[in-house]
């Protein structure tokens, strides 16, 4: 993320906080960050800092969010910001009381491709939406954390984004779930079925113990919208219309492409190594969309992002919690 922020207009990476002075200096020197603090408390209390990006170990996210809020800072917190909806609500309540911005860093919401998906749904491009599915399984990290909170949250937020109907009252309900547990006690493979208002059904599978194609699909009365790998940070949307007897007449697929920001590149480090390590994850340049939204919201004095509201965030974590308890 620091590489993204250093290239974002009207943004300065001013300070870094770590659990030790050595850690802060190592990271700060590597990326040219001038103020280096050996504790999170010092970084959060810096009077010149406007926004705190929380990327500490996930179990620390709630306390670090509250620390930043206590010091009057806006917050962008990496997912998952909390282990359940109750703790997430505590964070948002504190932010509301302090009148500061808090954004849950589920970066999918801010990709142009995701905005296009919503536009296609609202325009009736594939008729009435009835269901959707998402799969995010990777053979990496089993047992180290919860698959639900690590990759399942991307699936749940996708289903909410494409199946939510703001004109219809009611909340989605978990209708079924199953899971396997790693010897560490964390879930490693979870599937779930969620019923949304207006008779819409969503399903997903997440895992940290095996692979899937990591795609998502929306099903309508007149066709399908496909988001191929990587659906959680997408650059391609495919629309296929289906008509005729048995819906067997397929149109030529329409492809919508959304290139990543061309002005975001891998930076050279500023320490003695002076290397270019690149980005850790696919489509990392797309973090610029999320960062730009936080920048915009902060400058406009907003306390939440319209693309991912407080209510939506809490509801996703409610679903995650209920799936975990159901399975």
């Amino acid at each position: 993320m620091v590489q993204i922020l250093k290239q974002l207009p009207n943004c300065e990476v001013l300070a870094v906080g770590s659990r030790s002075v050595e850690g802060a200096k190592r990271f700060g020197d590597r990326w040219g960050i001038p103020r280096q603090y050996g504790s999170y408390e010092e970084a959060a209390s810096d009077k010149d800092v406007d926004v705190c990006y929380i990327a500490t170990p996930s179990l620390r996210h709630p306390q670090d969010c509250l620390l930043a809020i206590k010091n009057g800072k806006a917050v962008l917190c990496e997912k998952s910001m909390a282990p359940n909806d109750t703790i997430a609500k505590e964070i948002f309540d504190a932010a509301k009381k302090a009148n500061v911005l808090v954004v849950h860093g589920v970066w999918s919401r801010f990709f142009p491709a995701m905005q296009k998906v919503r536009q296609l749904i609202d325009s009736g491009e594939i008729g009435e939406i009835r269901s959707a599915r998402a799969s995010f399984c990777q053979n990496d990290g089993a047992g180290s954390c919860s698959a639900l909170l690590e990759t399942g949250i991307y699936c749940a937020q996708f289903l909410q984004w494409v199946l939510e109907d703001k004109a219809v009252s009611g909340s989605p309900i978990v209708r079924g779930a199953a899971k396997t547990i790693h010897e560490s006690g964390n879930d490693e493979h979870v599937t779930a079925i969620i019923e949304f208002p207006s008779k819409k059904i969503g399903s997903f599978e997440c895992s940290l113990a095996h692979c899937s194609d990591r795609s998502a699909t929306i099903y309508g009365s007149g066709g399908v919208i496909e988001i191929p790998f990587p659906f959680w940070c997408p650059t391609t949307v495919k629309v296929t219309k289906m008509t005729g007897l048995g819906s067997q007449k397929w149109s030529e697929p329409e492809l919508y492409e959304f290139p990543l920001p061309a002005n975001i590149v891998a930076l050279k480090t500023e320490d003695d190594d002076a290397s270019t390590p690149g980005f850790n994850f696919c489509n990392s340049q797309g973090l610029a969309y999320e960062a730009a939204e936080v920048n915009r919201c902060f400058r406009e004095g907003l306390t939440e992002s319209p693309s991912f509201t407080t209510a939506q965030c809490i509801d996703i974590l409610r679903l995650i919690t209920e799936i975990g308890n159901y399975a």
Side-chain angles (χ1 to χ4, degrees):
M1 176 61 94
V2 70
Q3 296 184 70
I4 306 300
L5 296 175
K6 289 176 75 70
Q7 299 174 78
L8 193 70
N10 303 312
C11 180
E12 177 187 2
V13 183
L14 180 66
V16 58
S18 180
R19 285 171 287 185
S20 68
V21 173
E22 295 77 16
K25 178 173 173 52
R26 182 169 57 251
F27 190 86
D29 287 350
R30 182 172 178 77
W31 294 112
I33 304 174
R35 301 184 189 180
Q36 303 164 359
Y37 297 110
S39 72
Y40 301 131
E41 290 79 4
E42 289 177 282
S45 62
D46 187 317
K47 62 181 179 61
D48 296 320
V49 169
D50 295 316
V51 181
C52 288
Y53 171 58
I54 308 296
T56 52
S58 58
L59 291 178
R60 285 193 56 104
H61 286 179
Q63 70 185 85
D64 292 334
C65 284
L66 292 171
L67 174 65
I69 292 167
K70 178 182 176 182
N71 283 275
K73 311 302 185 190
V75 171
L76 169 59
C77 181
E78 269 299 334
K79 59 86 187 166
S80 179
M81 69 178 294
N84 55 57
D85 57 315
T86 300
I87 295 177
K89 190 174 185 303
E90 291 175 2
I91 295 170
F92 283 115
D93 285 347
K96 183 177 181 180
K97 184 176 180 180
N99 195 36
V100 298
L101 170 71
V102 172
V103 176
H104 190 183
V106 182
W107 61 324
S108 311
R109 282 294 168 101
F110 310 102
F111 273 74
M114 291 298 290
Q115 303 301 319
K116 181 63 178 180
V117 166
R118 190 66 242 184
Q119 178 189 335
L120 290 167
I121 291 171
D122 292 341
S123 69
E125 190 74 11
I126 61 165
E128 181 184 0
I129 304 302
R130 298 306 301 266
S131 67
R133 53 148 289 274
S135 178
F136 196 154
C137 303
Q138 61 187 38
N139 185 17
D140 181 21
S144 63
C145 59
S146 161
L148 259 177
L149 290 172
E150 183 69 15
T151 61
I153 194 167
Y154 285 121
C155 299
Q157 73 80 29
F158 175 82
L159 296 179
Q160 182 194 67
W161 181 247
V162 302
L163 297 179
E164 183 180 61
D165 187 345
K166 295 179 180 178
V168 179
S169 61
S171 300
I173 301 169
V174 177
R175 292 301 190 189
K179 66 182 176 182
T180 60
I181 304 297
H182 188 270
E183 60 186 16
S184 67
N186 290 315
D187 60 78
E188 64 177 13
H189 181 203
V190 181
T191 63
I193 300 173
I194 305 169
E195 180 184 350
F196 285 76
S198 299
K199 300 180 180 179
K200 298 175 182 177
I201 302 293
S203 61
F204 76 78
E205 176 185 26
C206 64
S207 175
L208 297 178
H210 72 281
C211 303
S212 71
D213 62 355
R214 285 156 282 181
S215 67
T217 309
I218 305 149
Y219 304 98
S221 58
V224 301
I225 300 172
E226 298 172 82
I227 301 92
F229 173 90
F231 85 87
W232 68 98
C233 49
T235 58
T236 302
V237 176
K238 177 183 175 183
V239 178
T240 306
K241 296 179 182 179
M242 301 173 183
T243 57
L245 183 65
S247 301
Q248 295 181 70
K249 184 178 179 181
W250 292 28
S251 69
E252 186 69 24
E254 295 179 72
L255 285 179
Y256 299 91
E257 301 284 353
F258 300 87
L260 295 167
N263 60 326
I264 302 295
V265 298
L267 298 179
K268 182 176 291 187
T269 61
E270 299 183 30
D271 54 8
D272 293 337
D273 185 33
S275 62
T276 306
F279 299 112
N280 290 329
F281 303 106
C282 67
N283 292 356
S284 287
Q285 300 94 320
L287 287 167
Y289 303 130
E290 173 185 80
E293 173 68 358
V294 172
N295 198 340
R296 182 190 71 82
C297 291
F298 176 79
R299 291 177 182 278
E300 293 182 9
L302 303 181
T303 55
E304 65 177 10
S305 167
S307 294
F308 195 24
T309 65
T310 296
Q312 288 174 327
C313 175
I314 291 174
D315 207 39
I316 285 174
L317 286 169
R318 175 188 65 81
L319 288 171
I320 292 293
T321 302
E322 291 181 3
I323 291 167
N325 293 336
Y326 190 105

